[in-house]
Amino acid sequence: MSTEEEQQVSEAQIAVHWREEEFYYPPAKFIGQANASDPAILDRFSEENFPECFKEFADLLSWDHYWHTTLDSSNPPFWKWFVGGKLNASYNCIDRHLEKNRNKSAILWAPEPENEEIKSITYQELYHQVNEFAALLRDFCGLKAGDRVTFHMPMVPELPVSMLACARLGVIHSEVFAGFSGASCGGRIADSGSHVLVTMDSYYRSGELVDHKVKADEAIATAHELGFDIAKVLVWRRYPGKYGSKTPMVEGRDFFVDEVLKDFKGKIVSPVSMPAEAPLFLMYTSGSTGKPKGCQHSTGGYLSYVAGTSKYYQDIHPEDTYWCMADIGWITGHSYIVYGPLALGTTTVIYEGVPTYPDAGRAWRIAERLGVNIFHTAPTTIRMLRKLGPDEPAKHNYHFKHMTTVGEPIEPEVWRWYHDVVGKNEAVIVDTWWQTENGGFLGSTLPGLQPMKPGSCGPGVLGVFPVIMDEDGNEVEAGSGRAGNMCIRNPWPGILQTIYGQPERFVQVYYEKYCKDRNSKDWRDWPYFAGDGAVKAADGYFRILGRVDDVINVAGHRLGTKELESASLTVPEIAEAAAVPVVDELRGRIVEMYVSLKPGFQPSKEISDKVTKAIETEIGKIARPKNVWIVQDMPKTRSGKIMRRVIAGISNFTDAGDLTTLANAEVVEGIRHHVQSEKLAKGDVPRELSPAEIDEIKAFGSAE
Ligand code: WT7
């Protein structure tokens, strides 16, 4: 480390001051029916019972062959769970429920257009649809266990059907969020080596039938540039028989699923018994450097973990109607719309569209109509629902026993609105902290046993032992008021197995920082580094502050600064680019870009629009920057590194911090004047930031 870097603020050294929030206790009615209401469960999952405690989660599943070793840690950090066991995830989510619950709804699907009927898919019907599509994947596409398939699917029941059909065959699915661009999808196709792409012609979003198949052609073009060719594209149609896209189908490559399925009517495929450690799926996520990482999740460990956490933290009983309003294209949807709820045999609700379309009452009409009693969403959505319809929930006759928040820190005022207004003071809340890499929740409260604290996720979940470490690997004491790096001391069954195709990067990103001894075979020497700053209160509850790396969390989803910057650099006029987070009232953080131009070019709106367009094309609309600022010169250190924290401070109207390490401190005032006067003129000034937010902006980029 150079002295320049040493002088920067590191999240681990920040002292955090805020008001400690009061506890809220669960209503007696909730406790009376909770899956976890006996405190003995906390003893069963205490550290001395690790790792054997996780047998309890695995026993929620049906195994074809029972395992002999709960945790094999002989090759750290490549942990193996439930070794020797064999099972099938599709069997566990469907077949085993048929005997008792054949005609119960597995999936209730609400299309976005309100005049279209709710679709109920019973477990029996799901069984047939999954079998038929599995037969198609096997016999029409030639897929077999271990092959990878990329999905680029919106929020329709055909997505879980496709996932479970893959799982039935042991084929590894890799779903890309439908809102991501074709180019993003293409990068993931090439990285995973998928020969088949499963997509959809169109879907509804904000009242518009979006042409989605067009992205498949872009994805294939990108994959081709990366040296990888797709053999078949399977296109589900929003309205079978009626093509909703303007893009032509490519002869011999593109096929309508509803047409091909005719040959597979009534086909049954026996579930392939897979080893517990066989990968179930890949889920790509951004890091601070390089291309997105394909987080590889296992069959036995992952499924046990999502079943166990769904049971105890989501409090799912088979008779509940559970609605997680996340997108299946993210890990939340995989774990807590599809695999967890279906493994427990409950009814899971899927909504196609935008929560506030056509108005702020939509979500509550769905909840009332379907009798939803467990509700799960993200702070960004709660903020939006609160802003657009603060009094709406009271007008609707629904009753939640339980609500979840996930994806980013929630402000205590927003938490209270969720509790009092959405939950009508009768629902418990679990704030669940975790990551794509983790498979399931890591920090949360057991809703019947541990009180809630607005803004804090709670302690480590059952069998998970978090610790906050400073930069030197010392534990930061609970109640010290000092923040540090959130780490997990032990492995858990839902953890990613590796980054697909990049085992060294896996070790480096999550373990290098705090591994005590690379040769050690003892899991205690291998704490997992989460990349989040956090503080632990005296009562053992964690408050997550946000990322310590160069990742921007927009509406609960990670965007890597490097990806945003590389996308900007595809514009020929751009010489340099830097992405920074700006605090946003609704989305938590939003991206702003700073770019400088190559010699001979003059700043223009046309160039900034090109940057926005490039980001939308390379990544997707979710990453669209709020502003693109064209500057003469970026503030840089003497070693030439762009000081992102300085421009982040300007964009957020906070103190730019220490400028003595800059080689060109004189440029800062010019940039500040240009950016802030334009923002003031537009009325684009962030609200007053909290001390924790100010610290986050000050530390941005310092981990590089
Ligand atoms: C990052 C992971 C898996 C959930 C969906 C996002 C932030 C997640 C919380 C929470 C505060 C949270 C962290 C984490 N985060 N949940 N309850 N409170 N922050 O998954 O895209 O992998 O992002 O989201 O910063 O590292 P992801």
Side-chain angles (χ1 to χ4, degrees), residues 285 331-332 405-409 431-437 457 530 532 544 546-547 553 556-558:
T285 192
I331 190 74
T332 305
T405 166
V406 62
E408 44 172 331
D431 182 339
T432 58
W433 168 76
W434 59 300
Q435 314 170 294
T436 305
E437 291 87 342
C457 64
D532 276 325
I544 306 297
R547 304 289 309 181
N553 186 332
H557 301 298
R558 281 195 260 173

PDB file of all heavy atoms in Angstrom, residues 285 331-332 405-409 431-437 457 530 532 544 546-547 553 556-558, ligand 1:
ATOM      1  N   THR A 285     -23.264 -12.314 -10.476  1.00  0.00           N
ATOM      2  CA  THR A 285     -23.350 -11.065  -9.733  1.00  0.00           C
ATOM      3  C   THR A 285     -22.093 -10.242  -9.962  1.00  0.00           C
ATOM      4  O   THR A 285     -21.043 -10.779 -10.324  1.00  0.00           O
ATOM      5  CB  THR A 285     -23.585 -11.315  -8.228  1.00  0.00           C
ATOM      6  OG1 THR A 285     -23.937 -10.070  -7.609  1.00  0.00           O
ATOM      7  CG2 THR A 285     -22.353 -11.863  -7.536  1.00  0.00           C
ATOM      8  N   ILE A 331     -31.127 -13.736  -6.907  1.00  0.00           N
ATOM      9  CA  ILE A 331     -31.035 -14.864  -5.970  1.00  0.00           C
ATOM     10  C   ILE A 331     -32.248 -14.903  -5.043  1.00  0.00           C
ATOM     11  O   ILE A 331     -32.725 -15.980  -4.677  1.00  0.00           O
ATOM     12  CB  ILE A 331     -29.707 -14.818  -5.166  1.00  0.00           C
ATOM     13  CG1 ILE A 331     -29.481 -16.108  -4.384  1.00  0.00           C
ATOM     14  CG2 ILE A 331     -29.680 -13.633  -4.217  1.00  0.00           C
ATOM     15  CD1 ILE A 331     -29.075 -17.282  -5.192  1.00  0.00           C
ATOM     16  N   THR A 332     -32.775 -13.755  -4.636  1.00  0.00           N
ATOM     17  CA  THR A 332     -33.932 -13.752  -3.728  1.00  0.00           C
ATOM     18  C   THR A 332     -35.067 -14.584  -4.317  1.00  0.00           C
ATOM     19  O   THR A 332     -35.711 -15.363  -3.622  1.00  0.00           O
ATOM     20  CB  THR A 332     -34.423 -12.315  -3.462  1.00  0.00           C
ATOM     21  OG1 THR A 332     -33.329 -11.555  -2.980  1.00  0.00           O
ATOM     22  CG2 THR A 332     -35.539 -12.288  -2.446  1.00  0.00           C
ATOM     23  N   THR A 405     -37.931  -7.809   4.635  1.00  0.00           N
ATOM     24  CA  THR A 405     -37.224  -6.797   3.843  1.00  0.00           C
ATOM     25  C   THR A 405     -35.830  -7.337   3.535  1.00  0.00           C
ATOM     26  O   THR A 405     -35.232  -8.021   4.349  1.00  0.00           O
ATOM     27  CB  THR A 405     -37.186  -5.413   4.533  1.00  0.00           C
ATOM     28  OG1 THR A 405     -36.217  -4.599   3.859  1.00  0.00           O
ATOM     29  CG2 THR A 405     -36.814  -5.499   5.998  1.00  0.00           C
ATOM     30  N   VAL A 406     -35.357  -7.044   2.329  1.00  0.00           N
ATOM     31  CA  VAL A 406     -34.088  -7.603   1.873  1.00  0.00           C
ATOM     32  C   VAL A 406     -33.423  -6.721   0.845  1.00  0.00           C
ATOM     33  O   VAL A 406     -34.100  -6.051   0.091  1.00  0.00           O
ATOM     34  CB  VAL A 406     -34.298  -9.001   1.241  1.00  0.00           C
ATOM     35  CG1 VAL A 406     -35.185  -8.931   0.008  1.00  0.00           C
ATOM     36  CG2 VAL A 406     -32.962  -9.665   0.878  1.00  0.00           C
ATOM     37  N   GLY A 407     -32.109  -6.730   0.819  1.00  0.00           N
ATOM     38  CA  GLY A 407     -31.387  -6.165  -0.314  1.00  0.00           C
ATOM     39  C   GLY A 407     -30.566  -4.923  -0.035  1.00  0.00           C
ATOM     40  O   GLY A 407     -29.597  -4.661  -0.719  1.00  0.00           O
ATOM     41  N   GLU A 408     -30.963  -4.141   0.938  1.00  0.00           N
ATOM     42  CA  GLU A 408     -30.210  -2.928   1.260  1.00  0.00           C
ATOM     43  C   GLU A 408     -30.660  -2.486   2.647  1.00  0.00           C
ATOM     44  O   GLU A 408     -31.697  -2.934   3.135  1.00  0.00           O
ATOM     45  CB  GLU A 408     -30.456  -1.824   0.220  1.00  0.00           C
ATOM     46  CG  GLU A 408     -31.896  -1.733  -0.124  1.00  0.00           C
ATOM     47  CD  GLU A 408     -32.287  -0.572  -0.999  1.00  0.00           C
ATOM     48  OE1 GLU A 408     -31.636   0.480  -0.964  1.00  0.00           O
ATOM     49  OE2 GLU A 408     -33.299  -0.707  -1.673  1.00  0.00           O
ATOM     50  N   PRO A 409     -29.885  -1.616   3.262  1.00  0.00           N
ATOM     51  CA  PRO A 409     -30.303  -1.141   4.577  1.00  0.00           C
ATOM     52  C   PRO A 409     -31.641  -0.402   4.473  1.00  0.00           C
ATOM     53  O   PRO A 409     -31.885   0.306   3.500  1.00  0.00           O
ATOM     54  CB  PRO A 409     -29.180  -0.174   4.970  1.00  0.00           C
ATOM     55  CG  PRO A 409     -28.013  -0.546   4.115  1.00  0.00           C
ATOM     56  CD  PRO A 409     -28.595  -1.049   2.831  1.00  0.00           C
ATOM     57  N   ASP A 431     -35.778  -8.500   8.791  1.00  0.00           N
ATOM     58  CA  ASP A 431     -34.848  -7.816   7.903  1.00  0.00           C
ATOM     59  C   ASP A 431     -33.763  -8.850   7.646  1.00  0.00           C
ATOM     60  O   ASP A 431     -33.096  -9.310   8.578  1.00  0.00           O
ATOM     61  CB  ASP A 431     -34.292  -6.573   8.620  1.00  0.00           C
ATOM     62  CG  ASP A 431     -33.347  -5.761   7.744  1.00  0.00           C
ATOM     63  OD1 ASP A 431     -32.806  -6.309   6.765  1.00  0.00           O
ATOM     64  OD2 ASP A 431     -33.133  -4.578   8.058  1.00  0.00           O
ATOM     65  N   THR A 432     -33.625  -9.251   6.377  1.00  0.00           N
ATOM     66  CA  THR A 432     -32.740 -10.381   6.086  1.00  0.00           C
ATOM     67  C   THR A 432     -31.521  -9.897   5.317  1.00  0.00           C
ATOM     68  O   THR A 432     -31.639  -9.439   4.185  1.00  0.00           O
ATOM     69  CB  THR A 432     -33.497 -11.432   5.263  1.00  0.00           C
ATOM     70  OG1 THR A 432     -33.964 -10.820   4.060  1.00  0.00           O
ATOM     71  CG2 THR A 432     -34.697 -11.969   6.039  1.00  0.00           C
ATOM     72  N   TRP A 433     -30.368 -10.014   5.926  1.00  0.00           N
ATOM     73  CA  TRP A 433     -29.125  -9.612   5.252  1.00  0.00           C
ATOM     74  C   TRP A 433     -28.454 -10.855   4.672  1.00  0.00           C
ATOM     75  O   TRP A 433     -28.262 -11.852   5.384  1.00  0.00           O
ATOM     76  CB  TRP A 433     -28.160  -8.943   6.234  1.00  0.00           C
ATOM     77  CG  TRP A 433     -26.797  -8.796   5.623  1.00  0.00           C
ATOM     78  CD1 TRP A 433     -26.433  -7.871   4.688  1.00  0.00           C
ATOM     79  CD2 TRP A 433     -25.653  -9.625   5.849  1.00  0.00           C
ATOM     80  NE1 TRP A 433     -25.123  -8.075   4.317  1.00  0.00           N
ATOM     81  CE2 TRP A 433     -24.616  -9.146   5.021  1.00  0.00           C
ATOM     82  CE3 TRP A 433     -25.408 -10.735   6.672  1.00  0.00           C
ATOM     83  CZ2 TRP A 433     -23.350  -9.726   4.991  1.00  0.00           C
ATOM     84  CZ3 TRP A 433     -24.146 -11.311   6.642  1.00  0.00           C
ATOM     85  CH2 TRP A 433     -23.128 -10.803   5.806  1.00  0.00           C
ATOM     86  N   TRP A 434     -28.105 -10.792   3.419  1.00  0.00           N
ATOM     87  CA  TRP A 434     -27.363 -11.865   2.756  1.00  0.00           C
ATOM     88  C   TRP A 434     -26.982 -11.409   1.368  1.00  0.00           C
ATOM     89  O   TRP A 434     -27.200 -10.255   1.017  1.00  0.00           O
ATOM     90  CB  TRP A 434     -28.155 -13.172   2.720  1.00  0.00           C
ATOM     91  CG  TRP A 434     -29.488 -13.114   2.014  1.00  0.00           C
ATOM     92  CD1 TRP A 434     -30.554 -12.317   2.348  1.00  0.00           C
ATOM     93  CD2 TRP A 434     -29.905 -13.874   0.880  1.00  0.00           C
ATOM     94  NE1 TRP A 434     -31.598 -12.561   1.494  1.00  0.00           N
ATOM     95  CE2 TRP A 434     -31.235 -13.504   0.583  1.00  0.00           C
ATOM     96  CE3 TRP A 434     -29.289 -14.848   0.086  1.00  0.00           C
ATOM     97  CZ2 TRP A 434     -31.951 -14.066  -0.481  1.00  0.00           C
ATOM     98  CZ3 TRP A 434     -30.005 -15.415  -0.962  1.00  0.00           C
ATOM     99  CH2 TRP A 434     -31.322 -15.020  -1.235  1.00  0.00           C
ATOM    100  N   GLN A 435     -26.429 -12.324   0.569  1.00  0.00           N
ATOM    101  CA  GLN A 435     -25.880 -11.963  -0.741  1.00  0.00           C
ATOM    102  C   GLN A 435     -26.089 -13.103  -1.736  1.00  0.00           C
ATOM    103  O   GLN A 435     -26.299 -14.252  -1.326  1.00  0.00           O
ATOM    104  CB  GLN A 435     -24.377 -11.730  -0.620  1.00  0.00           C
ATOM    105  CG  GLN A 435     -23.985 -10.882   0.552  1.00  0.00           C
ATOM    106  CD  GLN A 435     -22.492 -10.883   0.763  1.00  0.00           C
ATOM    107  OE1 GLN A 435     -21.911 -11.909   1.102  1.00  0.00           O
ATOM    108  NE2 GLN A 435     -21.876  -9.743   0.544  1.00  0.00           N
ATOM    109  N   THR A 436     -25.952 -12.778  -3.001  1.00  0.00           N
ATOM    110  CA  THR A 436     -26.060 -13.784  -4.052  1.00  0.00           C
ATOM    111  C   THR A 436     -25.195 -15.009  -3.739  1.00  0.00           C
ATOM    112  O   THR A 436     -25.590 -16.149  -3.988  1.00  0.00           O
ATOM    113  CB  THR A 436     -25.600 -13.168  -5.398  1.00  0.00           C
ATOM    114  OG1 THR A 436     -26.368 -11.989  -5.621  1.00  0.00           O
ATOM    115  CG2 THR A 436     -25.778 -14.125  -6.554  1.00  0.00           C
ATOM    116  N   GLU A 437     -24.040 -14.759  -3.196  1.00  0.00           N
ATOM    117  CA  GLU A 437     -23.090 -15.833  -2.908  1.00  0.00           C
ATOM    118  C   GLU A 437     -23.561 -16.777  -1.800  1.00  0.00           C
ATOM    119  O   GLU A 437     -23.041 -17.876  -1.651  1.00  0.00           O
ATOM    120  CB  GLU A 437     -21.762 -15.233  -2.416  1.00  0.00           C
ATOM    121  CG  GLU A 437     -20.969 -14.474  -3.454  1.00  0.00           C
ATOM    122  CD  GLU A 437     -21.371 -13.005  -3.569  1.00  0.00           C
ATOM    123  OE1 GLU A 437     -22.469 -12.633  -3.104  1.00  0.00           O
ATOM    124  OE2 GLU A 437     -20.571 -12.242  -4.143  1.00  0.00           O
ATOM    125  N   CYS A 457     -30.393  -5.842  10.931  1.00  0.00           N
ATOM    126  CA  CYS A 457     -30.923  -7.130  10.463  1.00  0.00           C
ATOM    127  C   CYS A 457     -31.110  -8.094  11.625  1.00  0.00           C
ATOM    128  O   CYS A 457     -31.961  -8.974  11.563  1.00  0.00           O
ATOM    129  CB  CYS A 457     -30.039  -7.717   9.372  1.00  0.00           C
ATOM    130  SG  CYS A 457     -28.381  -8.141   9.894  1.00  0.00           S
ATOM    131  N   ALA A 530     -17.417 -10.754   3.524  1.00  0.00           N
ATOM    132  CA  ALA A 530     -18.653 -10.463   2.796  1.00  0.00           C
ATOM    133  C   ALA A 530     -18.568  -9.201   1.934  1.00  0.00           C
ATOM    134  O   ALA A 530     -19.377  -9.027   1.023  1.00  0.00           O
ATOM    135  CB  ALA A 530     -19.811 -10.329   3.778  1.00  0.00           C
ATOM    136  N   ASP A 532     -19.093  -6.174   3.092  1.00  0.00           N
ATOM    137  CA  ASP A 532     -19.985  -5.154   3.650  1.00  0.00           C
ATOM    138  C   ASP A 532     -19.372  -4.552   4.903  1.00  0.00           C
ATOM    139  O   ASP A 532     -18.762  -5.265   5.698  1.00  0.00           O
ATOM    140  CB  ASP A 532     -21.333  -5.773   4.061  1.00  0.00           C
ATOM    141  CG  ASP A 532     -22.302  -5.876   2.905  1.00  0.00           C
ATOM    142  OD1 ASP A 532     -22.297  -4.982   2.049  1.00  0.00           O
ATOM    143  OD2 ASP A 532     -23.062  -6.861   2.857  1.00  0.00           O
ATOM    144  N   ILE A 544     -26.053  -3.174   8.998  1.00  0.00           N
ATOM    145  CA  ILE A 544     -25.228  -3.206   7.788  1.00  0.00           C
ATOM    146  C   ILE A 544     -25.148  -1.796   7.228  1.00  0.00           C
ATOM    147  O   ILE A 544     -26.165  -1.119   7.075  1.00  0.00           O
ATOM    148  CB  ILE A 544     -25.852  -4.157   6.729  1.00  0.00           C
ATOM    149  CG1 ILE A 544     -26.113  -5.564   7.316  1.00  0.00           C
ATOM    150  CG2 ILE A 544     -24.991  -4.227   5.467  1.00  0.00           C
ATOM    151  CD1 ILE A 544     -24.896  -6.327   7.758  1.00  0.00           C
ATOM    152  N   GLY A 546     -23.316  -1.001   4.261  1.00  0.00           N
ATOM    153  CA  GLY A 546     -23.207  -0.974   2.797  1.00  0.00           C
ATOM    154  C   GLY A 546     -21.882  -1.565   2.372  1.00  0.00           C
ATOM    155  O   GLY A 546     -21.077  -1.999   3.200  1.00  0.00           O
ATOM    156  N   ARG A 547     -21.655  -1.543   1.065  1.00  0.00           N
ATOM    157  CA  ARG A 547     -20.480  -2.193   0.510  1.00  0.00           C
ATOM    158  C   ARG A 547     -19.202  -1.434   0.866  1.00  0.00           C
ATOM    159  O   ARG A 547     -19.199  -0.214   0.913  1.00  0.00           O
ATOM    160  CB  ARG A 547     -20.600  -2.262  -1.020  1.00  0.00           C
ATOM    161  CG  ARG A 547     -21.834  -2.951  -1.516  1.00  0.00           C
ATOM    162  CD  ARG A 547     -21.819  -4.423  -1.284  1.00  0.00           C
ATOM    163  NE  ARG A 547     -20.598  -5.048  -1.763  1.00  0.00           N
ATOM    164  CZ  ARG A 547     -20.371  -6.366  -1.682  1.00  0.00           C
ATOM    165  NH1 ARG A 547     -21.282  -7.173  -1.144  1.00  0.00           N
ATOM    166  NH2 ARG A 547     -19.257  -6.871  -2.118  1.00  0.00           N
ATOM    167  N   ASN A 553     -24.964  -0.255  -4.863  1.00  0.00           N
ATOM    168  CA  ASN A 553     -26.196  -1.022  -4.649  1.00  0.00           C
ATOM    169  C   ASN A 553     -27.393  -0.166  -5.075  1.00  0.00           C
ATOM    170  O   ASN A 553     -27.840   0.703  -4.361  1.00  0.00           O
ATOM    171  CB  ASN A 553     -26.287  -1.406  -3.164  1.00  0.00           C
ATOM    172  CG  ASN A 553     -27.459  -2.326  -2.878  1.00  0.00           C
ATOM    173  OD1 ASN A 553     -28.467  -2.302  -3.572  1.00  0.00           O
ATOM    174  ND2 ASN A 553     -27.316  -3.143  -1.845  1.00  0.00           N
ATOM    175  N   GLY A 556     -31.231  -2.314  -4.346  1.00  0.00           N
ATOM    176  CA  GLY A 556     -30.984  -3.652  -3.825  1.00  0.00           C
ATOM    177  C   GLY A 556     -30.203  -4.548  -4.769  1.00  0.00           C
ATOM    178  O   GLY A 556     -30.112  -5.748  -4.536  1.00  0.00           O
ATOM    179  N   HIS A 557     -29.637  -3.995  -5.818  1.00  0.00           N
ATOM    180  CA  HIS A 557     -28.891  -4.841  -6.755  1.00  0.00           C
ATOM    181  C   HIS A 557     -27.525  -4.268  -7.036  1.00  0.00           C
ATOM    182  O   HIS A 557     -27.361  -3.078  -7.207  1.00  0.00           O
ATOM    183  CB  HIS A 557     -29.695  -5.039  -8.033  1.00  0.00           C
ATOM    184  CG  HIS A 557     -30.997  -5.680  -7.726  1.00  0.00           C
ATOM    185  ND1 HIS A 557     -31.064  -6.923  -7.172  1.00  0.00           N
ATOM    186  CD2 HIS A 557     -32.241  -5.210  -7.783  1.00  0.00           C
ATOM    187  CE1 HIS A 557     -32.323  -7.209  -6.931  1.00  0.00           C
ATOM    188  NE2 HIS A 557     -33.061  -6.196  -7.286  1.00  0.00           N
ATOM    189  N   ARG A 558     -26.582  -5.166  -7.089  1.00  0.00           N
ATOM    190  CA  ARG A 558     -25.198  -4.731  -7.178  1.00  0.00           C
ATOM    191  C   ARG A 558     -24.772  -4.391  -8.589  1.00  0.00           C
ATOM    192  O   ARG A 558     -24.965  -5.166  -9.510  1.00  0.00           O
ATOM    193  CB  ARG A 558     -24.320  -5.889  -6.700  1.00  0.00           C
ATOM    194  CG  ARG A 558     -24.260  -6.000  -5.230  1.00  0.00           C
ATOM    195  CD  ARG A 558     -23.115  -6.884  -4.891  1.00  0.00           C
ATOM    196  NE  ARG A 558     -23.572  -8.210  -4.592  1.00  0.00           N
ATOM    197  CZ  ARG A 558     -22.741  -9.230  -4.400  1.00  0.00           C
ATOM    198  NH1 ARG A 558     -21.454  -9.077  -4.553  1.00  0.00           N
ATOM    199  NH2 ARG A 558     -23.211 -10.393  -4.088  1.00  0.00           N
TER     200      ARG A 558
HETATM  201  C1  WT7 B   1     -25.585  -6.901  -0.917  1.00  0.00           C
HETATM  202  C2  WT7 B   1     -25.823  -8.184  -1.657  1.00  0.00           C
HETATM  203  C3  WT7 B   1     -29.469 -11.456  -1.387  1.00  0.00           C
HETATM  204  C4  WT7 B   1     -30.301 -10.311  -1.213  1.00  0.00           C
HETATM  205  C5  WT7 B   1     -30.463  -9.472  -2.452  1.00  0.00           C
HETATM  206  C6  WT7 B   1     -29.221  -8.671  -2.824  1.00  0.00           C
HETATM  207  C7  WT7 B   1     -26.790  -5.607   0.605  1.00  0.00           C
HETATM  208  C8  WT7 B   1     -28.555  -7.281   1.256  1.00  0.00           C
HETATM  209  C9  WT7 B   1     -29.353  -6.401   3.085  1.00  0.00           C
HETATM  210  C10 WT7 B   1     -30.028  -6.021   4.291  1.00  0.00           C
HETATM  211  C11 WT7 B   1     -28.586  -4.176   4.418  1.00  0.00           C
HETATM  212  C12 WT7 B   1     -28.309  -5.580   2.615  1.00  0.00           C
HETATM  213  C13 WT7 B   1     -25.410  -5.857   1.156  1.00  0.00           C
HETATM  214  C14 WT7 B   1     -24.984  -7.127   0.433  1.00  0.00           C
HETATM  215  N1  WT7 B   1     -27.841  -6.152   1.465  1.00  0.00           N
HETATM  216  N2  WT7 B   1     -29.475  -7.439   2.211  1.00  0.00           N
HETATM  217  N3  WT7 B   1     -31.034  -6.733   4.786  1.00  0.00           N
HETATM  218  N4  WT7 B   1     -29.604  -4.901   4.918  1.00  0.00           N
HETATM  219  N5  WT7 B   1     -27.929  -4.469   3.283  1.00  0.00           N
HETATM  220  O1  WT7 B   1     -28.199  -9.545  -3.199  1.00  0.00           O
HETATM  221  O2  WT7 B   1     -27.210  -8.364  -5.176  1.00  0.00           O
HETATM  222  O3  WT7 B   1     -25.941 -10.153  -3.929  1.00  0.00           O
HETATM  223  O4  WT7 B   1     -26.337  -7.885  -2.925  1.00  0.00           O
HETATM  224  O5  WT7 B   1     -26.837  -6.263  -0.672  1.00  0.00           O
HETATM  225  O6  WT7 B   1     -24.585  -4.801   0.813  1.00  0.00           O
HETATM  226  O7  WT7 B   1     -23.588  -7.299   0.346  1.00  0.00           O
HETATM  227  P1  WT7 B   1     -26.883  -9.020  -3.879  1.00  0.00           P
END
